[in-house]
Short mmCIF file of all heavy atoms in Angstrom, two decimals:
data_model
loop_
_atom_site.label_atom_id
_atom_site.label_comp_id
_atom_site.label_asym_id
_atom_site.label_seq_id
_atom_site.Cartn_x
_atom_site.Cartn_y
_atom_site.Cartn_z
N MET A 917 117.01 122.24 109.28
CA MET A 917 115.63 121.90 109.04
C MET A 917 115.50 121.05 107.76
O MET A 917 114.70 120.12 107.70
CB MET A 917 114.83 123.18 108.94
CG MET A 917 113.39 123.01 109.16
SD MET A 917 113.10 122.43 110.82
CE MET A 917 111.39 122.70 110.97
N ALA A 918 116.31 121.38 106.77
CA ALA A 918 116.25 120.62 105.48
C ALA A 918 116.73 119.17 105.71
O ALA A 918 116.19 118.24 105.13
CB ALA A 918 117.17 121.30 104.45
N LYS A 919 117.73 118.97 106.59
CA LYS A 919 118.21 117.62 106.89
C LYS A 919 117.13 116.79 107.56
O LYS A 919 116.96 115.62 107.26
CB LYS A 919 119.45 117.73 107.73
CG LYS A 919 120.12 116.38 108.00
CD LYS A 919 121.37 116.58 108.82
CE LYS A 919 122.02 115.23 109.14
NZ LYS A 919 123.23 115.42 109.92
N LEU A 920 116.41 117.39 108.50
CA LEU A 920 115.32 116.73 109.17
C LEU A 920 114.20 116.33 108.15
O LEU A 920 113.74 115.20 108.20
CB LEU A 920 114.75 117.66 110.24
CG LEU A 920 113.47 117.14 110.93
CD1 LEU A 920 113.77 115.86 111.70
CD2 LEU A 920 112.96 118.20 111.87
N PHE A 921 113.85 117.25 107.34
CA PHE A 921 112.81 117.01 106.36
C PHE A 921 113.23 115.89 105.37
O PHE A 921 112.49 115.02 105.08
CB PHE A 921 112.46 118.26 105.54
CG PHE A 921 111.48 118.06 104.45
CD1 PHE A 921 110.13 117.89 104.80
CD2 PHE A 921 111.84 118.04 103.15
CE1 PHE A 921 109.18 117.66 103.77
CE2 PHE A 921 110.91 117.80 102.13
CZ PHE A 921 109.57 117.65 102.44
N ALA A 922 114.50 115.97 104.94
CA ALA A 922 115.00 114.96 103.98
C ALA A 922 115.03 113.55 104.61
O ALA A 922 114.68 112.59 103.95
CB ALA A 922 116.39 115.35 103.53
N SER A 923 115.38 113.50 105.87
CA SER A 923 115.46 112.16 106.51
C SER A 923 114.06 111.60 106.68
O SER A 923 113.80 110.41 106.54
CB SER A 923 116.18 112.25 107.81
OG SER A 923 115.47 113.03 108.76
N GLU A 924 113.05 112.43 107.03
CA GLU A 924 111.66 111.98 107.17
C GLU A 924 111.09 111.55 105.85
O GLU A 924 110.39 110.53 105.76
CB GLU A 924 110.83 113.03 107.82
CG GLU A 924 111.14 113.24 109.28
CD GLU A 924 110.31 114.30 109.95
OE1 GLU A 924 109.54 115.01 109.27
OE2 GLU A 924 110.36 114.38 111.18
N VAL A 925 111.39 112.27 104.79
CA VAL A 925 110.92 111.85 103.44
C VAL A 925 111.57 110.55 103.03
O VAL A 925 110.91 109.68 102.46
CB VAL A 925 111.17 112.98 102.42
CG1 VAL A 925 110.92 112.50 101.02
CG2 VAL A 925 110.31 114.16 102.71
N ALA A 926 112.86 110.41 103.29
CA ALA A 926 113.54 109.17 102.91
C ALA A 926 112.96 107.96 103.64
O ALA A 926 112.79 106.89 103.00
CB ALA A 926 115.03 109.30 103.29
N VAL A 927 112.54 108.10 104.87
CA VAL A 927 111.93 107.02 105.63
C VAL A 927 110.58 106.67 104.98
O VAL A 927 110.26 105.47 104.79
CB VAL A 927 111.77 107.37 107.12
CG1 VAL A 927 110.90 106.34 107.83
CG2 VAL A 927 113.11 107.47 107.79
N ARG A 928 109.78 107.68 104.66
CA ARG A 928 108.48 107.40 104.04
C ARG A 928 108.63 106.73 102.70
O ARG A 928 107.87 105.77 102.39
CB ARG A 928 107.68 108.70 103.91
CG ARG A 928 107.07 109.14 105.19
CD ARG A 928 106.19 110.33 104.99
NE ARG A 928 107.08 111.49 104.91
CZ ARG A 928 106.68 112.73 104.66
NH1 ARG A 928 105.44 112.98 104.44
NH2 ARG A 928 107.58 113.70 104.62
N VAL A 929 109.57 107.19 101.89
CA VAL A 929 109.80 106.62 100.57
C VAL A 929 110.28 105.17 100.68
O VAL A 929 109.79 104.28 99.94
CB VAL A 929 110.79 107.46 99.74
CG1 VAL A 929 111.24 106.77 98.48
CG2 VAL A 929 110.17 108.80 99.42
N ALA A 930 111.23 104.95 101.61
CA ALA A 930 111.75 103.54 101.70
C ALA A 930 110.66 102.63 102.27
O ALA A 930 110.57 101.46 101.80
CB ALA A 930 112.96 103.57 102.69
N ASN A 931 109.86 103.09 103.15
CA ASN A 931 108.74 102.27 103.65
C ASN A 931 107.75 101.95 102.54
O ASN A 931 107.32 100.82 102.40
CB ASN A 931 108.01 103.02 104.79
CG ASN A 931 107.03 102.12 105.48
OD1 ASN A 931 107.25 100.92 105.66
ND2 ASN A 931 105.91 102.73 105.88
N GLU A 932 107.46 102.91 101.71
CA GLU A 932 106.54 102.66 100.60
C GLU A 932 107.14 101.71 99.62
O GLU A 932 106.46 100.82 99.07
CB GLU A 932 106.22 104.00 99.91
CG GLU A 932 105.13 103.90 98.85
CD GLU A 932 103.75 103.59 99.39
OE1 GLU A 932 103.50 103.91 100.57
OE2 GLU A 932 102.94 103.03 98.66
N CYS A 933 108.43 101.80 99.38
CA CYS A 933 109.13 100.88 98.48
C CYS A 933 109.02 99.44 98.98
O CYS A 933 108.72 98.54 98.21
CB CYS A 933 110.59 101.31 98.36
SG CYS A 933 111.58 100.24 97.31
N VAL A 934 109.24 99.27 100.29
CA VAL A 934 109.14 97.91 100.85
C VAL A 934 107.72 97.39 100.77
O VAL A 934 107.48 96.22 100.43
CB VAL A 934 109.65 97.90 102.31
CG1 VAL A 934 109.30 96.62 103.05
CG2 VAL A 934 111.13 98.13 102.34
N GLN A 935 106.74 98.28 100.95
CA GLN A 935 105.34 97.88 100.86
C GLN A 935 104.98 97.45 99.45
O GLN A 935 104.27 96.46 99.26
CB GLN A 935 104.42 99.03 101.28
CG GLN A 935 104.54 99.38 102.73
CD GLN A 935 104.07 98.26 103.64
OE1 GLN A 935 103.12 97.57 103.37
NE2 GLN A 935 104.80 98.04 104.70
N ILE A 936 105.51 98.15 98.47
CA ILE A 936 105.24 97.79 97.05
C ILE A 936 105.86 96.47 96.70
O ILE A 936 105.22 95.63 96.03
CB ILE A 936 105.78 98.91 96.12
CG1 ILE A 936 104.91 100.15 96.28
CG2 ILE A 936 105.81 98.44 94.67
CD1 ILE A 936 105.49 101.38 95.59
N HIS A 937 107.05 96.20 97.20
CA HIS A 937 107.73 94.95 96.89
C HIS A 937 107.25 93.77 97.70
O HIS A 937 107.60 92.61 97.43
CB HIS A 937 109.26 95.13 97.05
CG HIS A 937 109.90 95.89 95.98
ND1 HIS A 937 109.37 97.06 95.48
CD2 HIS A 937 111.02 95.68 95.26
CE1 HIS A 937 110.16 97.54 94.52
NE2 HIS A 937 111.16 96.70 94.37
N GLY A 938 106.48 94.02 98.77
CA GLY A 938 105.98 92.96 99.60
C GLY A 938 107.07 92.24 100.31
O GLY A 938 108.00 92.81 100.84
N GLY A 939 107.01 90.93 100.30
CA GLY A 939 107.99 90.08 101.00
C GLY A 939 109.39 90.24 100.42
O GLY A 939 110.39 90.09 101.14
N TYR A 940 109.48 90.54 99.16
CA TYR A 940 110.80 90.74 98.54
C TYR A 940 111.51 91.99 99.06
O TYR A 940 112.72 92.09 98.97
CB TYR A 940 110.65 90.86 97.02
CG TYR A 940 110.28 89.59 96.37
CD1 TYR A 940 109.04 89.38 95.79
CD2 TYR A 940 111.16 88.49 96.32
CE1 TYR A 940 108.64 88.20 95.17
CE2 TYR A 940 110.79 87.31 95.71
CZ TYR A 940 109.56 87.15 95.15
OH TYR A 940 109.21 85.97 94.57
N GLY A 941 110.74 92.87 99.68
CA GLY A 941 111.37 94.11 100.22
C GLY A 941 112.26 93.79 101.41
O GLY A 941 113.05 94.66 101.78
N PHE A 942 112.13 92.62 102.00
CA PHE A 942 112.95 92.28 103.16
C PHE A 942 114.03 91.27 102.85
O PHE A 942 114.74 90.85 103.76
CB PHE A 942 112.07 91.74 104.29
CG PHE A 942 111.24 92.84 104.93
CD1 PHE A 942 109.89 92.89 104.66
CD2 PHE A 942 111.80 93.74 105.76
CE1 PHE A 942 109.10 93.88 105.23
CE2 PHE A 942 111.05 94.75 106.33
CZ PHE A 942 109.68 94.83 106.03
N ILE A 943 114.16 90.88 101.60
CA ILE A 943 115.20 89.91 101.22
C ILE A 943 116.48 90.73 100.89
O ILE A 943 116.44 91.71 100.17
CB ILE A 943 114.72 89.09 100.02
CG1 ILE A 943 113.55 88.21 100.41
CG2 ILE A 943 115.90 88.21 99.52
CD1 ILE A 943 112.95 87.45 99.28
N LYS A 944 117.60 90.26 101.44
CA LYS A 944 118.85 91.00 101.25
C LYS A 944 119.31 91.08 99.79
O LYS A 944 120.19 91.86 99.49
CB LYS A 944 119.94 90.39 102.12
CG LYS A 944 119.70 90.65 103.60
CD LYS A 944 120.97 90.43 104.38
CE LYS A 944 120.69 90.69 105.83
NZ LYS A 944 121.41 91.82 106.37
N ASP A 945 118.79 90.24 98.95
CA ASP A 945 119.19 90.27 97.55
C ASP A 945 118.65 91.48 96.79
O ASP A 945 119.08 91.80 95.67
CB ASP A 945 118.74 89.03 96.79
CG ASP A 945 119.46 87.80 97.35
OD1 ASP A 945 120.52 87.93 97.93
OD2 ASP A 945 118.90 86.70 97.12
N TYR A 946 117.65 92.15 97.37
CA TYR A 946 117.03 93.31 96.71
C TYR A 946 117.46 94.63 97.35
O TYR A 946 117.61 94.72 98.57
CB TYR A 946 115.51 93.17 96.83
CG TYR A 946 114.94 92.05 95.97
CD1 TYR A 946 114.89 90.74 96.44
CD2 TYR A 946 114.49 92.29 94.68
CE1 TYR A 946 114.39 89.73 95.67
CE2 TYR A 946 114.04 91.30 93.89
CZ TYR A 946 114.00 89.99 94.38
OH TYR A 946 113.52 88.99 93.59
N PRO A 947 117.65 95.64 96.53
CA PRO A 947 118.11 96.96 97.05
C PRO A 947 117.11 97.57 98.03
O PRO A 947 117.49 98.35 98.88
CB PRO A 947 118.28 97.81 95.82
CG PRO A 947 118.32 96.88 94.65
CD PRO A 947 117.59 95.63 95.07
N ALA A 948 115.82 97.24 97.91
CA ALA A 948 114.82 97.84 98.78
C ALA A 948 115.11 97.59 100.23
O ALA A 948 114.96 98.47 101.08
CB ALA A 948 113.43 97.33 98.44
N GLU A 949 115.65 96.40 100.55
CA GLU A 949 115.96 96.09 101.93
C GLU A 949 117.08 96.93 102.43
O GLU A 949 117.05 97.44 103.58
CB GLU A 949 116.33 94.58 102.01
CG GLU A 949 116.61 94.09 103.43
CD GLU A 949 118.06 94.27 103.87
OE1 GLU A 949 118.94 94.39 102.99
OE2 GLU A 949 118.30 94.32 105.07
N LYS A 950 118.07 97.16 101.64
CA LYS A 950 119.22 97.98 102.05
C LYS A 950 118.79 99.45 102.27
O LYS A 950 119.13 100.07 103.25
CB LYS A 950 120.33 97.97 101.02
CG LYS A 950 121.55 98.76 101.44
CD LYS A 950 122.56 98.86 100.33
CE LYS A 950 123.80 99.63 100.68
NZ LYS A 950 123.57 100.94 101.23
N TYR A 951 117.98 99.99 101.37
CA TYR A 951 117.53 101.37 101.51
C TYR A 951 116.69 101.53 102.81
O TYR A 951 116.88 102.46 103.56
CB TYR A 951 116.69 101.78 100.32
CG TYR A 951 117.50 101.80 99.01
CD1 TYR A 951 116.88 101.37 97.86
CD2 TYR A 951 118.82 102.20 98.94
CE1 TYR A 951 117.59 101.32 96.65
CE2 TYR A 951 119.50 102.21 97.78
CZ TYR A 951 118.88 101.79 96.64
OH TYR A 951 119.59 101.74 95.44
N TYR A 952 115.79 100.56 103.01
CA TYR A 952 114.94 100.59 104.21
C TYR A 952 115.79 100.52 105.46
O TYR A 952 115.57 101.27 106.43
CB TYR A 952 113.91 99.47 104.16
CG TYR A 952 112.93 99.52 105.28
CD1 TYR A 952 111.90 100.45 105.30
CD2 TYR A 952 113.04 98.67 106.35
CE1 TYR A 952 110.99 100.50 106.31
CE2 TYR A 952 112.11 98.70 107.40
CZ TYR A 952 111.10 99.62 107.37
OH TYR A 952 110.19 99.70 108.39
N ARG A 953 116.75 99.63 105.48
CA ARG A 953 117.60 99.43 106.66
C ARG A 953 118.44 100.72 106.92
O ARG A 953 118.56 101.14 108.07
CB ARG A 953 118.55 98.24 106.46
CG ARG A 953 119.47 97.96 107.57
CD ARG A 953 120.24 96.65 107.37
NE ARG A 953 120.47 96.24 105.99
CZ ARG A 953 121.57 96.49 105.30
NH1 ARG A 953 122.58 97.12 105.85
NH2 ARG A 953 121.72 96.06 104.07
N ASP A 954 118.94 101.31 105.89
CA ASP A 954 119.77 102.48 106.04
C ASP A 954 118.97 103.67 106.57
O ASP A 954 119.42 104.40 107.47
CB ASP A 954 120.45 102.87 104.71
CG ASP A 954 121.52 101.87 104.33
OD1 ASP A 954 121.90 101.05 105.17
OD2 ASP A 954 121.94 101.93 103.15
N VAL A 955 117.80 103.93 106.00
CA VAL A 955 117.03 105.10 106.45
C VAL A 955 116.32 104.84 107.76
O VAL A 955 116.00 105.81 108.44
CB VAL A 955 116.03 105.56 105.39
CG1 VAL A 955 116.75 105.98 104.12
CG2 VAL A 955 114.95 104.57 105.10
N LYS A 956 116.13 103.58 108.09
CA LYS A 956 115.46 103.28 109.39
C LYS A 956 116.34 103.75 110.54
O LYS A 956 115.84 104.06 111.60
CB LYS A 956 115.17 101.79 109.49
CG LYS A 956 114.19 101.41 110.52
CD LYS A 956 112.85 102.03 110.20
CE LYS A 956 111.86 101.64 111.25
NZ LYS A 956 110.65 102.40 111.18
N LEU A 957 117.62 103.84 110.32
CA LEU A 957 118.52 104.34 111.38
C LEU A 957 118.17 105.78 111.73
O LEU A 957 118.45 106.21 112.85
CB LEU A 957 120.00 104.29 110.92
CG LEU A 957 120.53 102.84 110.72
CD1 LEU A 957 121.93 102.92 110.13
CD2 LEU A 957 120.56 102.13 112.07
N CYS A 958 117.55 106.47 110.81
CA CYS A 958 117.15 107.88 111.10
C CYS A 958 116.06 107.95 112.13
O CYS A 958 115.95 108.98 112.85
CB CYS A 958 116.64 108.55 109.82
SG CYS A 958 117.90 108.69 108.55
N THR A 959 115.28 106.89 112.28
CA THR A 959 114.13 106.94 113.22
C THR A 959 114.45 106.32 114.57
O THR A 959 113.64 106.41 115.48
CB THR A 959 112.91 106.24 112.63
OG1 THR A 959 113.25 104.86 112.42
CG2 THR A 959 112.49 106.86 111.34
N ILE A 960 115.59 105.68 114.68
CA ILE A 960 115.90 104.98 115.94
C ILE A 960 116.02 106.00 117.09
O ILE A 960 115.47 105.77 118.17
CB ILE A 960 117.18 104.17 115.84
CG1 ILE A 960 116.90 102.95 114.90
CG2 ILE A 960 117.71 103.72 117.16
CD1 ILE A 960 118.10 102.13 114.59
N ALA A 961 116.69 107.09 116.86
CA ALA A 961 116.90 108.08 117.91
C ALA A 961 115.87 109.23 117.78
O ALA A 961 116.17 110.20 117.14
CB ALA A 961 118.31 108.60 117.86
N ARG A 962 114.72 109.05 118.34
CA ARG A 962 113.68 110.13 118.31
C ARG A 962 114.18 111.35 119.08
O ARG A 962 113.76 112.46 118.81
CB ARG A 962 112.37 109.65 118.86
CG ARG A 962 111.58 108.79 117.89
CD ARG A 962 111.18 109.65 116.73
NE ARG A 962 110.33 108.84 115.85
CZ ARG A 962 110.08 109.26 114.59
NH1 ARG A 962 110.63 110.32 114.12
NH2 ARG A 962 109.33 108.48 113.84
N HIS A 963 115.01 111.11 120.05
CA HIS A 963 115.55 112.20 120.81
C HIS A 963 116.32 113.16 119.92
O HIS A 963 116.22 114.39 120.07
CB HIS A 963 116.47 111.68 121.94
CG HIS A 963 117.08 112.77 122.79
ND1 HIS A 963 117.79 113.79 122.33
CD2 HIS A 963 117.04 112.90 124.14
CE1 HIS A 963 118.19 114.56 123.32
NE2 HIS A 963 117.78 114.05 124.43
N GLU A 964 117.04 112.59 118.99
CA GLU A 964 117.83 113.40 118.04
C GLU A 964 116.93 114.32 117.22
O GLU A 964 117.21 115.45 116.99
CB GLU A 964 118.62 112.49 117.14
CG GLU A 964 119.49 113.26 116.16
CD GLU A 964 120.25 112.37 115.18
OE1 GLU A 964 120.29 111.16 115.41
OE2 GLU A 964 120.77 112.89 114.21
N ARG A 965 115.74 113.76 116.79
CA ARG A 965 114.78 114.56 116.03
C ARG A 965 114.30 115.77 116.84
O ARG A 965 114.26 116.89 116.36
CB ARG A 965 113.62 113.68 115.58
CG ARG A 965 112.58 114.47 114.81
CD ARG A 965 111.40 113.53 114.48
NE ARG A 965 110.40 114.23 113.69
CZ ARG A 965 109.43 114.97 114.19
NH1 ARG A 965 109.32 115.08 115.53
NH2 ARG A 965 108.55 115.57 113.43
N ASN A 966 113.94 115.48 118.09
CA ASN A 966 113.44 116.55 118.93
C ASN A 966 114.54 117.57 119.20
O ASN A 966 114.25 118.75 119.30
CB ASN A 966 112.92 115.99 120.25
CG ASN A 966 111.66 115.17 120.03
OD1 ASN A 966 110.92 115.38 119.10
ND2 ASN A 966 111.46 114.22 120.95
N THR A 967 115.72 117.10 119.32
CA THR A 967 116.90 118.01 119.49
C THR A 967 117.06 118.93 118.30
O THR A 967 117.30 120.12 118.42
CB THR A 967 118.14 117.23 119.82
OG1 THR A 967 117.98 116.38 120.94
CG2 THR A 967 119.33 118.18 120.06
N LYS A 968 116.90 118.32 117.08
CA LYS A 968 117.08 119.09 115.87
C LYS A 968 115.99 120.16 115.78
O LYS A 968 116.26 121.33 115.41
CB LYS A 968 116.96 118.19 114.66
CG LYS A 968 118.18 117.34 114.44
CD LYS A 968 117.93 116.44 113.20
CE LYS A 968 119.01 115.40 113.06
NZ LYS A 968 118.73 114.48 111.97
N ILE A 969 114.74 119.82 116.11
CA ILE A 969 113.66 120.77 116.05
C ILE A 969 113.90 121.92 117.07
O ILE A 969 113.72 123.06 116.76
CB ILE A 969 112.33 120.07 116.34
CG1 ILE A 969 111.96 119.14 115.13
CG2 ILE A 969 111.20 121.07 116.53
CD1 ILE A 969 110.76 118.27 115.36
N GLY A 970 114.28 121.54 118.28
CA GLY A 970 114.59 122.53 119.28
C GLY A 970 115.72 123.47 118.85
O GLY A 970 115.61 124.69 119.07
N HIS A 971 116.70 122.92 118.23
CA HIS A 971 117.87 123.72 117.79
C HIS A 971 117.42 124.67 116.70
O HIS A 971 117.79 125.85 116.69
CB HIS A 971 118.97 122.81 117.33
CG HIS A 971 120.19 123.56 116.89
ND1 HIS A 971 120.97 124.21 117.81
CD2 HIS A 971 120.76 123.68 115.69
CE1 HIS A 971 121.99 124.80 117.12
NE2 HIS A 971 121.88 124.45 115.85
N CYS A 972 116.58 124.18 115.75
CA CYS A 972 116.09 125.05 114.67
C CYS A 972 115.24 126.21 115.23
O CYS A 972 115.32 127.32 114.79
CB CYS A 972 115.27 124.21 113.68
SG CYS A 972 116.29 123.11 112.68
N ARG A 973 114.39 125.84 116.17
CA ARG A 973 113.55 126.88 116.80
C ARG A 973 114.40 127.93 117.48
O ARG A 973 114.14 129.13 117.40
CB ARG A 973 112.59 126.31 117.82
CG ARG A 973 111.45 125.57 117.19
CD ARG A 973 110.49 125.13 118.27
NE ARG A 973 109.33 124.49 117.66
CZ ARG A 973 108.52 123.69 118.25
NH1 ARG A 973 108.73 123.38 119.52
NH2 ARG A 973 107.51 123.17 117.61
N GLN A 974 115.47 127.45 118.15
CA GLN A 974 116.37 128.40 118.83
C GLN A 974 117.06 129.31 117.84
O GLN A 974 117.22 130.50 118.08
CB GLN A 974 117.35 127.60 119.68
CG GLN A 974 118.20 128.43 120.61
CD GLN A 974 119.14 127.53 121.39
OE1 GLN A 974 119.65 126.53 120.91
NE2 GLN A 974 119.35 127.91 122.64
N LEU A 975 117.50 128.71 116.72
CA LEU A 975 118.20 129.52 115.70
C LEU A 975 117.27 130.55 115.07
O LEU A 975 117.68 131.69 114.72
CB LEU A 975 118.74 128.62 114.60
CG LEU A 975 119.98 127.79 114.97
CD1 LEU A 975 120.33 126.83 113.85
CD2 LEU A 975 121.15 128.67 115.28
N LEU A 976 115.97 130.16 114.91
CA LEU A 976 115.03 131.10 114.30
C LEU A 976 114.44 132.05 115.30
O LEU A 976 113.71 132.94 114.92
CB LEU A 976 113.91 130.29 113.62
CG LEU A 976 114.34 129.43 112.43
CD1 LEU A 976 113.21 128.53 111.98
CD2 LEU A 976 114.86 130.27 111.30
N GLY A 977 114.77 131.85 116.57
CA GLY A 977 114.24 132.76 117.59
C GLY A 977 112.77 132.54 117.94
O GLY A 977 112.08 133.46 118.36
N LYS A 978 112.31 131.32 117.68
CA LYS A 978 110.88 131.01 117.94
C LYS A 978 110.79 130.19 119.23
O LYS A 978 111.69 129.46 119.60
CB LYS A 978 110.29 130.21 116.80
CG LYS A 978 110.21 130.98 115.55
CD LYS A 978 109.52 130.15 114.43
CE LYS A 978 109.48 130.96 113.18
NZ LYS A 978 108.83 130.19 112.11
N THR A 979 109.66 130.37 119.90
CA THR A 979 109.37 129.54 121.08
C THR A 979 108.22 128.63 120.76
O THR A 979 107.56 128.79 119.75
CB THR A 979 109.05 130.41 122.28
OG1 THR A 979 107.88 131.23 121.96
CG2 THR A 979 110.22 131.34 122.66
N LYS A 980 107.93 127.72 121.69
CA LYS A 980 106.80 126.81 121.49
C LYS A 980 105.57 127.60 121.43
O LYS A 980 104.68 127.62 120.78
CB LYS A 980 106.70 125.78 122.62
CG LYS A 980 107.80 124.80 122.57
CD LYS A 980 107.61 123.77 123.64
CE LYS A 980 108.68 122.70 123.60
NZ LYS A 980 108.49 121.67 124.54
#
């Protein structure tokens, strides 16, 4: 659950960083672009997120 939370926070922070930097956030010379690109990989597979949540619920013995 902590890994899921950390990845979602990282995506929000990187997105905010790119927004603050504006167009420079997408230029490869700036670290903001690399951070955004790296954490964006966390959101590509939404199936993985749902799988993590289901696994956590199963471990905690909770149902929907």
Side-chain angles (χ1 to χ4, degrees):
M917 201 63 167
K919 185 176 178 181
L920 173 64
F921 178 74
S923 66
E924 289 181 350
V925 169
V927 169
R928 282 186 280 176
V929 170
N931 188 37
E932 188 68 24
C933 179
V934 169
Q935 293 296 320
I936 289 170
H937 284 46
Y940 290 111
F942 288 106
I943 296 175
K944 289 197 181 245
D945 295 339
Y946 290 86
E949 184 271 338
K950 181 187 182 307
Y951 298 140
Y952 185 75
R953 181 173 27 98
D954 290 347
V955 300
K956 197 64 179 167
L957 293 174
C958 297
T959 62
I960 289 175
R962 282 294 184 195
H963 180 305
E964 181 182 347
R965 179 182 181 274
N966 293 334
T967 303
K968 287 179 190 175
I969 290 172
H971 183 67
C972 289
R973 284 185 177 161
Q974 190 178 35
L975 286 174
L976 295 172
K978 296 182 179 181
T979 60
K980 290 184 178 183

